[in-house]
mmCIF file of all heavy atoms in Angstrom:
data_model
loop_
_atom_site.group_PDB
_atom_site.id
_atom_site.type_symbol
_atom_site.label_atom_id
_atom_site.label_comp_id
_atom_site.label_asym_id
_atom_site.label_seq_id
_atom_site.Cartn_x
_atom_site.Cartn_y
_atom_site.Cartn_z
ATOM 1 N N MET A 15 228.263 -89.110 -74.792
ATOM 2 C CA MET A 15 227.554 -88.931 -76.051
ATOM 3 C C MET A 15 228.396 -88.049 -76.955
ATOM 4 O O MET A 15 228.828 -86.975 -76.560
ATOM 5 C CB MET A 15 226.224 -88.255 -75.803
ATOM 6 C CG MET A 15 225.397 -89.001 -74.761
ATOM 7 S SD MET A 15 223.676 -89.111 -75.199
ATOM 8 C CE MET A 15 223.134 -87.474 -74.830
ATOM 9 N N ALA A 16 228.604 -88.516 -78.148
ATOM 10 C CA ALA A 16 229.492 -87.774 -79.027
ATOM 11 C C ALA A 16 229.002 -87.832 -80.464
ATOM 12 O O ALA A 16 228.375 -88.796 -80.889
ATOM 13 C CB ALA A 16 230.900 -88.337 -78.957
ATOM 14 N N LYS A 17 229.320 -86.756 -81.156
ATOM 15 C CA LYS A 17 229.057 -86.737 -82.587
ATOM 16 C C LYS A 17 230.254 -87.380 -83.279
ATOM 17 O O LYS A 17 231.399 -87.174 -82.864
ATOM 18 C CB LYS A 17 228.879 -85.291 -83.049
ATOM 19 C CG LYS A 17 228.323 -85.198 -84.449
ATOM 20 C CD LYS A 17 227.751 -83.805 -84.696
ATOM 21 C CE LYS A 17 227.084 -83.789 -86.065
ATOM 22 N NZ LYS A 17 226.353 -82.555 -86.311
ATOM 23 N N VAL A 18 229.990 -88.187 -84.292
ATOM 24 C CA VAL A 18 231.056 -88.869 -85.019
ATOM 25 C C VAL A 18 230.909 -88.544 -86.507
ATOM 26 O O VAL A 18 229.857 -88.073 -86.948
ATOM 27 C CB VAL A 18 230.987 -90.398 -84.792
ATOM 28 C CG1 VAL A 18 231.225 -90.730 -83.319
ATOM 29 C CG2 VAL A 18 229.674 -90.976 -85.260
ATOM 30 N N PRO A 19 231.953 -88.787 -87.289
ATOM 31 C CA PRO A 19 231.812 -88.545 -88.737
ATOM 32 C C PRO A 19 230.673 -89.400 -89.298
ATOM 33 O O PRO A 19 230.448 -90.523 -88.832
ATOM 34 C CB PRO A 19 233.165 -88.987 -89.302
ATOM 35 C CG PRO A 19 234.117 -88.911 -88.154
ATOM 36 C CD PRO A 19 233.301 -89.236 -86.932
ATOM 37 N N PRO A 20 229.955 -88.896 -90.285
ATOM 38 C CA PRO A 20 228.812 -89.637 -90.819
ATOM 39 C C PRO A 20 229.219 -91.025 -91.324
ATOM 40 O O PRO A 20 230.286 -91.204 -91.881
ATOM 41 C CB PRO A 20 228.329 -88.769 -91.985
ATOM 42 C CG PRO A 20 228.886 -87.416 -91.722
ATOM 43 C CD PRO A 20 230.155 -87.622 -90.969
ATOM 44 N N PHE A 21 228.344 -91.984 -91.089
ATOM 45 C CA PHE A 21 228.547 -93.329 -91.626
ATOM 46 C C PHE A 21 227.192 -93.931 -91.952
ATOM 47 O O PHE A 21 226.162 -93.506 -91.447
ATOM 48 C CB PHE A 21 229.321 -94.219 -90.642
ATOM 49 C CG PHE A 21 228.580 -94.529 -89.359
ATOM 50 C CD1 PHE A 21 227.841 -95.698 -89.243
ATOM 51 C CD2 PHE A 21 228.633 -93.659 -88.291
ATOM 52 C CE1 PHE A 21 227.148 -95.996 -88.066
ATOM 53 C CE2 PHE A 21 227.941 -93.946 -87.112
ATOM 54 C CZ PHE A 21 227.200 -95.115 -87.008
ATOM 55 N N HIS A 22 227.194 -94.927 -92.837
ATOM 56 C CA HIS A 22 225.968 -95.622 -93.196
ATOM 57 C C HIS A 22 226.296 -97.085 -93.447
ATOM 58 O O HIS A 22 227.456 -97.494 -93.365
ATOM 59 C CB HIS A 22 225.308 -94.971 -94.424
ATOM 60 C CG HIS A 22 226.141 -95.032 -95.667
ATOM 61 N ND1 HIS A 22 227.197 -94.158 -95.886
ATOM 62 C CD2 HIS A 22 226.102 -95.863 -96.737
ATOM 63 C CE1 HIS A 22 227.742 -94.446 -97.066
ATOM 64 N NE2 HIS A 22 227.106 -95.484 -97.593
ATOM 65 N N SER A 23 225.261 -97.864 -93.747
ATOM 66 C CA SER A 23 225.454 -99.300 -93.949
ATOM 67 C C SER A 23 225.514 -99.628 -95.429
ATOM 68 O O SER A 23 224.773 -99.069 -96.230
ATOM 69 C CB SER A 23 224.303 -100.075 -93.309
ATOM 70 O OG SER A 23 224.418 -101.448 -93.623
ATOM 71 N N SER A 24 226.387 -100.561 -95.774
ATOM 72 C CA SER A 24 226.467 -101.022 -97.160
ATOM 73 C C SER A 24 225.459 -102.136 -97.430
ATOM 74 O O SER A 24 225.339 -102.595 -98.551
ATOM 75 C CB SER A 24 227.882 -101.532 -97.457
ATOM 76 O OG SER A 24 228.178 -102.635 -96.618
ATOM 77 N N ASN A 25 224.729 -102.558 -96.391
ATOM 78 C CA ASN A 25 223.763 -103.642 -96.553
ATOM 79 C C ASN A 25 222.457 -103.083 -97.131
ATOM 80 O O ASN A 25 221.825 -102.231 -96.518
ATOM 81 C CB ASN A 25 223.499 -104.279 -95.180
ATOM 82 C CG ASN A 25 222.610 -105.510 -95.286
ATOM 83 O OD1 ASN A 25 221.856 -105.666 -96.241
ATOM 84 N ND2 ASN A 25 222.702 -106.372 -94.304
ATOM 85 N N PRO A 26 222.041 -103.570 -98.316
ATOM 86 C CA PRO A 26 220.826 -103.015 -98.954
ATOM 87 C C PRO A 26 219.561 -103.223 -98.136
ATOM 88 O O PRO A 26 218.576 -102.517 -98.346
ATOM 89 C CB PRO A 26 220.724 -103.784 -100.280
ATOM 90 C CG PRO A 26 222.022 -104.477 -100.458
ATOM 91 C CD PRO A 26 222.669 -104.610 -99.103
ATOM 92 N N SER A 27 219.557 -104.179 -97.214
ATOM 93 C CA SER A 27 218.353 -104.419 -96.422
ATOM 94 C C SER A 27 218.255 -103.472 -95.232
ATOM 95 O O SER A 27 217.231 -103.433 -94.551
ATOM 96 C CB SER A 27 218.304 -105.872 -95.939
ATOM 97 O OG SER A 27 219.311 -106.119 -94.988
ATOM 98 N N ASP A 28 219.303 -102.704 -94.961
ATOM 99 C CA ASP A 28 219.255 -101.724 -93.882
ATOM 100 C C ASP A 28 218.594 -100.441 -94.375
ATOM 101 O O ASP A 28 218.584 -100.164 -95.573
ATOM 102 C CB ASP A 28 220.670 -101.410 -93.381
ATOM 103 C CG ASP A 28 221.215 -102.510 -92.483
ATOM 104 O OD1 ASP A 28 220.413 -103.288 -91.940
ATOM 105 O OD2 ASP A 28 222.443 -102.583 -92.339
ATOM 106 N N PRO A 29 218.047 -99.632 -93.445
ATOM 107 C CA PRO A 29 217.412 -98.368 -93.849
ATOM 108 C C PRO A 29 218.404 -97.443 -94.561
ATOM 109 O O PRO A 29 219.590 -97.419 -94.215
ATOM 110 C CB PRO A 29 216.981 -97.753 -92.510
ATOM 111 C CG PRO A 29 216.924 -98.898 -91.550
ATOM 112 C CD PRO A 29 217.963 -99.887 -92.009
ATOM 113 N N ASP A 30 217.892 -96.715 -95.541
ATOM 114 C CA ASP A 30 218.752 -95.797 -96.311
ATOM 115 C C ASP A 30 218.874 -94.476 -95.571
ATOM 116 O O ASP A 30 218.272 -93.468 -95.948
ATOM 117 C CB ASP A 30 218.168 -95.589 -97.712
ATOM 118 C CG ASP A 30 218.347 -96.820 -98.577
ATOM 119 O OD1 ASP A 30 219.215 -97.659 -98.242
ATOM 120 O OD2 ASP A 30 217.642 -96.942 -99.584
ATOM 121 N N VAL A 31 219.632 -94.497 -94.507
ATOM 122 C CA VAL A 31 219.891 -93.299 -93.705
ATOM 123 C C VAL A 31 221.355 -93.310 -93.300
ATOM 124 O O VAL A 31 222.024 -94.335 -93.364
ATOM 125 C CB VAL A 31 219.028 -93.251 -92.427
ATOM 126 C CG1 VAL A 31 217.546 -93.164 -92.775
ATOM 127 C CG2 VAL A 31 219.299 -94.439 -91.517
ATOM 128 N N TYR A 32 221.840 -92.148 -92.873
ATOM 129 C CA TYR A 32 223.189 -92.122 -92.300
ATOM 130 C C TYR A 32 223.112 -91.747 -90.824
ATOM 131 O O TYR A 32 222.131 -91.156 -90.374
ATOM 132 C CB TYR A 32 224.103 -91.157 -93.070
ATOM 133 C CG TYR A 32 223.891 -89.686 -92.791
ATOM 134 C CD1 TYR A 32 224.519 -89.065 -91.716
ATOM 135 C CD2 TYR A 32 223.068 -88.918 -93.598
ATOM 136 C CE1 TYR A 32 224.327 -87.712 -91.459
ATOM 137 C CE2 TYR A 32 222.871 -87.570 -93.349
ATOM 138 C CZ TYR A 32 223.507 -86.976 -92.282
ATOM 139 O OH TYR A 32 223.306 -85.655 -92.017
ATOM 140 N N HIS A 33 224.141 -92.111 -90.094
ATOM 141 C CA HIS A 33 224.221 -91.854 -88.657
ATOM 142 C C HIS A 33 225.416 -90.964 -88.365
ATOM 143 O O HIS A 33 226.429 -91.040 -89.059
ATOM 144 C CB HIS A 33 224.379 -93.168 -87.881
ATOM 145 C CG HIS A 33 223.358 -94.190 -88.245
ATOM 146 N ND1 HIS A 33 222.122 -94.271 -87.644
ATOM 147 C CD2 HIS A 33 223.376 -95.174 -89.175
ATOM 148 C CE1 HIS A 33 221.437 -95.259 -88.176
ATOM 149 N NE2 HIS A 33 222.165 -95.835 -89.116
ATOM 150 N N ASP A 34 225.288 -90.155 -87.305
ATOM 151 C CA ASP A 34 226.437 -89.342 -86.886
ATOM 152 C C ASP A 34 226.514 -89.198 -85.359
ATOM 153 O O ASP A 34 227.157 -88.284 -84.862
ATOM 154 C CB ASP A 34 226.441 -87.978 -87.581
ATOM 155 C CG ASP A 34 225.236 -87.124 -87.249
ATOM 156 O OD1 ASP A 34 224.397 -87.559 -86.434
ATOM 157 O OD2 ASP A 34 225.125 -86.024 -87.811
ATOM 158 N N ARG A 35 225.860 -90.119 -84.630
ATOM 159 C CA ARG A 35 225.963 -90.144 -83.164
ATOM 160 C C ARG A 35 226.457 -91.527 -82.757
ATOM 161 O O ARG A 35 225.876 -92.539 -83.172
ATOM 162 C CB ARG A 35 224.594 -89.889 -82.515
ATOM 163 C CG ARG A 35 223.960 -88.585 -82.903
ATOM 164 C CD ARG A 35 224.717 -87.372 -82.436
ATOM 165 N NE ARG A 35 224.904 -87.341 -80.998
ATOM 166 C CZ ARG A 35 225.256 -86.257 -80.316
ATOM 167 N NH1 ARG A 35 225.447 -85.115 -80.937
ATOM 168 N NH2 ARG A 35 225.439 -86.313 -79.025
ATOM 169 N N ASP A 36 227.483 -91.571 -81.934
ATOM 170 C CA ASP A 36 228.054 -92.885 -81.612
ATOM 171 C C ASP A 36 227.144 -93.716 -80.717
ATOM 172 O O ASP A 36 227.265 -94.930 -80.669
ATOM 173 C CB ASP A 36 229.465 -92.758 -81.016
ATOM 174 C CG ASP A 36 229.497 -92.065 -79.665
ATOM 175 O OD1 ASP A 36 228.438 -91.621 -79.176
ATOM 176 O OD2 ASP A 36 230.602 -91.976 -79.106
ATOM 177 N N GLU A 37 226.194 -93.078 -80.013
ATOM 178 C CA GLU A 37 225.308 -93.844 -79.149
ATOM 179 C C GLU A 37 224.001 -94.247 -79.839
ATOM 180 O O GLU A 37 223.122 -94.816 -79.208
ATOM 181 C CB GLU A 37 225.013 -93.058 -77.875
ATOM 182 C CG GLU A 37 224.086 -91.876 -78.055
ATOM 183 C CD GLU A 37 224.818 -90.608 -78.482
ATOM 184 O OE1 GLU A 37 225.861 -90.690 -79.143
ATOM 185 O OE2 GLU A 37 224.305 -89.531 -78.151
ATOM 186 N N CYS A 38 223.870 -93.974 -81.120
ATOM 187 C CA CYS A 38 222.639 -94.314 -81.844
ATOM 188 C C CYS A 38 222.399 -95.827 -81.806
ATOM 189 O O CYS A 38 223.259 -96.613 -82.203
ATOM 190 C CB CYS A 38 222.729 -93.840 -83.292
ATOM 191 S SG CYS A 38 221.293 -94.341 -84.266
ATOM 192 N N SER A 39 221.207 -96.226 -81.337
ATOM 193 C CA SER A 39 220.911 -97.654 -81.212
ATOM 194 C C SER A 39 220.870 -98.330 -82.580
ATOM 195 O O SER A 39 221.224 -99.490 -82.716
ATOM 196 C CB SER A 39 219.578 -97.842 -80.472
ATOM 197 O OG SER A 39 218.546 -97.149 -81.123
ATOM 198 N N ARG A 40 220.419 -97.610 -83.602
ATOM 199 C CA ARG A 40 220.357 -98.215 -84.941
ATOM 200 C C ARG A 40 221.728 -98.255 -85.584
ATOM 201 O O ARG A 40 222.064 -99.212 -86.284
ATOM 202 C CB ARG A 40 219.385 -97.433 -85.811
ATOM 203 C CG ARG A 40 217.966 -97.585 -85.309
ATOM 204 C CD ARG A 40 216.962 -97.050 -86.289
ATOM 205 N NE ARG A 40 215.648 -96.979 -85.662
ATOM 206 C CZ ARG A 40 214.589 -96.432 -86.213
ATOM 207 N NH1 ARG A 40 214.678 -95.889 -87.413
ATOM 208 N NH2 ARG A 40 213.440 -96.411 -85.602
ATOM 209 N N GLY A 41 222.505 -97.217 -85.355
ATOM 210 C CA GLY A 41 223.852 -97.208 -85.910
ATOM 211 C C GLY A 41 224.700 -98.332 -85.331
ATOM 212 O O GLY A 41 225.531 -98.919 -86.014
ATOM 213 N N LYS A 42 224.428 -98.641 -84.039
ATOM 214 C CA LYS A 42 225.180 -99.709 -83.386
ATOM 215 C C LYS A 42 224.861 -101.075 -83.964
ATOM 216 O O LYS A 42 225.613 -102.025 -83.769
ATOM 217 C CB LYS A 42 224.867 -99.715 -81.889
ATOM 218 C CG LYS A 42 225.601 -98.638 -81.118
ATOM 219 C CD LYS A 42 225.221 -98.707 -79.655
ATOM 220 C CE LYS A 42 225.957 -97.660 -78.847
ATOM 221 N NZ LYS A 42 225.462 -97.582 -77.473
ATOM 222 N N LEU A 43 223.705 -101.192 -84.619
ATOM 223 C CA LEU A 43 223.326 -102.483 -85.209
ATOM 224 C C LEU A 43 224.122 -102.779 -86.479
ATOM 225 O O LEU A 43 224.120 -103.904 -86.955
ATOM 226 C CB LEU A 43 221.828 -102.490 -85.545
ATOM 227 C CG LEU A 43 220.870 -102.435 -84.360
ATOM 228 C CD1 LEU A 43 219.433 -102.346 -84.860
ATOM 229 C CD2 LEU A 43 221.050 -103.662 -83.483
ATOM 230 N N ILE A 44 224.765 -101.770 -87.026
ATOM 231 C CA ILE A 44 225.530 -101.980 -88.260
ATOM 232 C C ILE A 44 226.870 -102.622 -87.896
ATOM 233 O O ILE A 44 227.663 -102.025 -87.179
ATOM 234 C CB ILE A 44 225.770 -100.650 -88.995
ATOM 235 C CG1 ILE A 44 224.444 -99.962 -89.323
ATOM 236 C CG2 ILE A 44 226.580 -100.891 -90.267
ATOM 237 C CD1 ILE A 44 224.610 -98.574 -89.935
ATOM 238 N N PRO A 45 227.133 -103.845 -88.352
ATOM 239 C CA PRO A 45 228.415 -104.473 -88.025
ATOM 240 C C PRO A 45 229.557 -103.748 -88.729
ATOM 241 O O PRO A 45 229.347 -103.125 -89.781
ATOM 242 C CB PRO A 45 228.255 -105.910 -88.536
ATOM 243 C CG PRO A 45 227.160 -105.853 -89.540
ATOM 244 C CD PRO A 45 226.270 -104.693 -89.159
ATOM 245 N N PRO A 46 230.756 -103.811 -88.137
ATOM 246 C CA PRO A 46 231.896 -103.056 -88.692
ATOM 247 C C PRO A 46 232.136 -103.319 -90.182
ATOM 248 O O PRO A 46 232.500 -102.399 -90.909
ATOM 249 C CB PRO A 46 233.088 -103.543 -87.853
ATOM 250 C CG PRO A 46 232.478 -103.955 -86.549
ATOM 251 C CD PRO A 46 231.112 -104.509 -86.896
ATOM 252 N N HIS A 47 231.914 -104.550 -90.638
ATOM 253 C CA HIS A 47 232.203 -104.848 -92.045
ATOM 254 C C HIS A 47 231.175 -104.226 -92.982
ATOM 255 O O HIS A 47 231.376 -104.196 -94.196
ATOM 256 C CB HIS A 47 232.336 -106.360 -92.274
ATOM 257 C CG HIS A 47 231.094 -107.142 -91.969
ATOM 258 N ND1 HIS A 47 230.810 -107.627 -90.719
ATOM 259 C CD2 HIS A 47 230.051 -107.503 -92.746
ATOM 260 C CE1 HIS A 47 229.643 -108.268 -90.759
ATOM 261 N NE2 HIS A 47 229.170 -108.192 -91.973
ATOM 262 N N ASN A 48 230.042 -103.762 -92.434
ATOM 263 C CA ASN A 48 229.039 -103.091 -93.273
ATOM 264 C C ASN A 48 229.081 -101.574 -93.117
ATOM 265 O O ASN A 48 228.317 -100.861 -93.769
ATOM 266 C CB ASN A 48 227.629 -103.572 -92.895
ATOM 267 C CG ASN A 48 227.292 -104.900 -93.525
ATOM 268 O OD1 ASN A 48 227.999 -105.363 -94.419
ATOM 269 N ND2 ASN A 48 226.248 -105.534 -93.056
ATOM 270 N N ARG A 49 229.946 -101.098 -92.239
ATOM 271 C CA ARG A 49 230.001 -99.667 -91.953
ATOM 272 C C ARG A 49 230.809 -98.948 -93.021
ATOM 273 O O ARG A 49 231.962 -99.286 -93.267
ATOM 274 C CB ARG A 49 230.672 -99.462 -90.599
ATOM 275 C CG ARG A 49 229.822 -98.665 -89.627
ATOM 276 C CD ARG A 49 230.484 -98.716 -88.264
ATOM 277 N NE ARG A 49 230.863 -97.378 -87.879
ATOM 278 C CZ ARG A 49 230.578 -96.834 -86.691
ATOM 279 N NH1 ARG A 49 229.952 -97.544 -85.787
ATOM 280 N NH2 ARG A 49 230.922 -95.609 -86.418
ATOM 281 N N VAL A 50 230.213 -97.928 -93.634
ATOM 282 C CA VAL A 50 230.872 -97.162 -94.686
ATOM 283 C C VAL A 50 230.876 -95.696 -94.272
ATOM 284 O O VAL A 50 229.863 -95.180 -93.795
ATOM 285 C CB VAL A 50 230.122 -97.310 -96.031
ATOM 286 C CG1 VAL A 50 230.850 -96.578 -97.137
ATOM 287 C CG2 VAL A 50 229.957 -98.781 -96.383
ATOM 288 N N SER A 51 232.017 -95.026 -94.433
ATOM 289 C CA SER A 51 232.116 -93.614 -94.091
ATOM 290 C C SER A 51 231.309 -92.764 -95.066
ATOM 291 O O SER A 51 231.211 -93.095 -96.247
ATOM 292 C CB SER A 51 233.570 -93.156 -94.123
ATOM 293 O OG SER A 51 234.285 -93.786 -93.085
ATOM 294 N N GLY A 52 230.748 -91.678 -94.549
ATOM 295 C CA GLY A 52 230.020 -90.741 -95.390
ATOM 296 C C GLY A 52 228.521 -90.925 -95.275
ATOM 297 O O GLY A 52 228.047 -91.874 -94.647
ATOM 298 N N THR A 53 227.785 -90.000 -95.873
ATOM 299 C CA THR A 53 226.326 -90.037 -95.774
ATOM 300 C C THR A 53 225.693 -90.963 -96.807
ATOM 301 O O THR A 53 224.540 -91.354 -96.664
ATOM 302 C CB THR A 53 225.736 -88.640 -95.988
ATOM 303 O OG1 THR A 53 225.984 -88.246 -97.339
ATOM 304 C CG2 THR A 53 226.361 -87.619 -95.033
ATOM 305 N N GLY A 54 226.413 -91.297 -97.847
ATOM 306 C CA GLY A 54 225.842 -92.112 -98.906
ATOM 307 C C GLY A 54 224.759 -91.387 -99.685
ATOM 308 O O GLY A 54 224.051 -91.991 -100.477
ATOM 309 N N GLY A 55 224.626 -90.077 -99.434
ATOM 310 C CA GLY A 55 223.569 -89.309 -100.093
ATOM 311 C C GLY A 55 222.202 -89.533 -99.455
ATOM 312 O O GLY A 55 221.188 -89.125 -100.006
ATOM 313 N N TYR A 56 222.191 -90.195 -98.283
ATOM 314 C CA TYR A 56 220.941 -90.505 -97.603
ATOM 315 C C TYR A 56 220.577 -89.409 -96.612
ATOM 316 O O TYR A 56 221.435 -88.652 -96.177
ATOM 317 C CB TYR A 56 221.072 -91.815 -96.830
ATOM 318 C CG TYR A 56 221.386 -93.018 -97.663
ATOM 319 C CD1 TYR A 56 222.330 -93.946 -97.231
ATOM 320 C CD2 TYR A 56 220.735 -93.240 -98.871
ATOM 321 C CE1 TYR A 56 222.617 -95.068 -97.981
ATOM 322 C CE2 TYR A 56 221.024 -94.345 -99.634
ATOM 323 C CZ TYR A 56 221.971 -95.264 -99.187
ATOM 324 O OH TYR A 56 222.257 -96.367 -99.921
ATOM 325 N N PRO A 57 219.277 -89.351 -96.220
ATOM 326 C CA PRO A 57 218.885 -88.432 -95.146
ATOM 327 C C PRO A 57 219.427 -88.915 -93.812
ATOM 328 O O PRO A 57 219.817 -90.084 -93.669
ATOM 329 C CB PRO A 57 217.362 -88.469 -95.167
ATOM 330 C CG PRO A 57 217.011 -89.748 -95.827
ATOM 331 C CD PRO A 57 218.133 -90.084 -96.763
ATOM 332 N N ARG A 58 219.429 -88.007 -92.825
ATOM 333 C CA ARG A 58 219.950 -88.356 -91.504
ATOM 334 C C ARG A 58 218.975 -89.271 -90.764
ATOM 335 O O ARG A 58 217.748 -89.115 -90.870
ATOM 336 C CB ARG A 58 220.163 -87.076 -90.711
ATOM 337 C CG ARG A 58 220.957 -87.295 -89.442
ATOM 338 C CD ARG A 58 221.132 -85.969 -88.719
ATOM 339 N NE ARG A 58 221.936 -86.128 -87.522
ATOM 340 C CZ ARG A 58 221.779 -85.389 -86.442
ATOM 341 N NH1 ARG A 58 220.889 -84.423 -86.423
ATOM 342 N NH2 ARG A 58 222.533 -85.601 -85.389
ATOM 343 N N CYS A 59 219.555 -90.187 -90.018
ATOM 344 C CA CYS A 59 218.785 -91.100 -89.157
ATOM 345 C C CYS A 59 217.944 -90.306 -88.153
ATOM 346 O O CYS A 59 218.429 -89.367 -87.544
ATOM 347 C CB CYS A 59 219.771 -92.003 -88.460
ATOM 348 S SG CYS A 59 219.155 -92.867 -87.035
ATOM 349 N N LYS A 60 216.668 -90.723 -87.972
ATOM 350 C CA LYS A 60 215.795 -90.011 -87.041
ATOM 351 C C LYS A 60 216.267 -90.161 -85.606
ATOM 352 O O LYS A 60 216.133 -89.264 -84.790
ATOM 353 C CB LYS A 60 214.361 -90.535 -87.159
ATOM 354 C CG LYS A 60 213.632 -90.017 -88.375
ATOM 355 C CD LYS A 60 212.125 -90.200 -88.188
ATOM 356 C CE LYS A 60 211.348 -89.494 -89.282
ATOM 357 N NZ LYS A 60 211.421 -90.195 -90.560
ATOM 358 N N VAL A 61 216.785 -91.352 -85.260
ATOM 359 C CA VAL A 61 217.288 -91.568 -83.897
ATOM 360 C C VAL A 61 218.443 -90.614 -83.614
ATOM 361 O O VAL A 61 218.506 -89.984 -82.556
ATOM 362 C CB VAL A 61 217.711 -93.035 -83.694
ATOM 363 C CG1 VAL A 61 218.301 -93.226 -82.295
ATOM 364 C CG2 VAL A 61 216.534 -93.973 -83.901
ATOM 365 N N CYS A 62 219.354 -90.487 -84.554
ATOM 366 C CA CYS A 62 220.460 -89.532 -84.396
ATOM 367 C C CYS A 62 219.902 -88.122 -84.239
ATOM 368 O O CYS A 62 220.434 -87.327 -83.462
ATOM 369 C CB CYS A 62 221.385 -89.591 -85.597
ATOM 370 S SG CYS A 62 222.374 -91.090 -85.687
ATOM 371 N N GLY A 63 218.822 -87.820 -84.933
ATOM 372 C CA GLY A 63 218.204 -86.506 -84.820
ATOM 373 C C GLY A 63 217.671 -86.248 -83.423
ATOM 374 O O GLY A 63 217.837 -85.159 -82.877
ATOM 375 N N TYR A 64 217.048 -87.273 -82.798
ATOM 376 C CA TYR A 64 216.537 -87.119 -81.432
ATOM 377 C C TYR A 64 217.689 -86.895 -80.456
ATOM 378 O O TYR A 64 217.558 -86.192 -79.470
ATOM 379 C CB TYR A 64 215.772 -88.361 -80.983
ATOM 380 C CG TYR A 64 214.536 -88.662 -81.767
ATOM 381 C CD1 TYR A 64 214.187 -89.980 -82.054
ATOM 382 C CD2 TYR A 64 213.701 -87.646 -82.206
ATOM 383 C CE1 TYR A 64 213.047 -90.278 -82.777
ATOM 384 C CE2 TYR A 64 212.556 -87.926 -82.931
ATOM 385 C CZ TYR A 64 212.235 -89.257 -83.216
ATOM 386 O OH TYR A 64 211.105 -89.549 -83.923
ATOM 387 N N LEU A 65 218.807 -87.547 -80.738
ATOM 388 C CA LEU A 65 219.942 -87.486 -79.826
ATOM 389 C C LEU A 65 220.687 -86.158 -79.929
ATOM 390 O O LEU A 65 221.494 -85.821 -79.077
ATOM 391 C CB LEU A 65 220.917 -88.637 -80.131
ATOM 392 C CG LEU A 65 220.387 -90.039 -79.818
ATOM 393 C CD1 LEU A 65 221.290 -91.102 -80.419
ATOM 394 C CD2 LEU A 65 220.260 -90.243 -78.319
ATOM 395 N N GLY A 66 220.425 -85.448 -80.988
ATOM 396 C CA GLY A 66 221.095 -84.151 -81.138
ATOM 397 C C GLY A 66 221.607 -84.000 -82.520
ATOM 398 O O GLY A 66 222.639 -83.560 -82.856
HETATM 399 ZN ZN1 LIG B 20 221.354 -93.087 -86.179
#
């Protein structure tokens, strides 16, 4: 389990949150071509919050 630099999805239909845990189940759903570095100004993903 590791913390990673913040990333979010460029897909408008995805939740407006950012992820920073590599094992996040929701973050893993974001395909590489939709993955954007940074928080996007969004709040942190709740799943990432549970993970630490
Ligand atoms: Zn997450």
Side-chain angles (χ1 to χ4, degrees):
M15 306 222 284
K17 192 162 185 172
V18 296
F21 66 95
H22 63 281
S23 174
S24 62
N25 186 337
S27 68
D28 283 339
D30 288 341
V31 297
Y32 76 85
H33 309 273
D34 62 3
R35 302 295 302 196
D36 65 357
E37 73 274 29
C38 176
S39 56
R40 293 191 191 173
K42 282 179 179 172
L43 293 176
I44 302 175
H47 62 272
N48 279 348
R49 236 171 117 131
V50 183
S51 293
T53 66
Y56 299 137
R58 192 180 182 211
C59 163
K60 283 198 171 74
V61 177
C62 289
Y64 296 143
L65 292 168

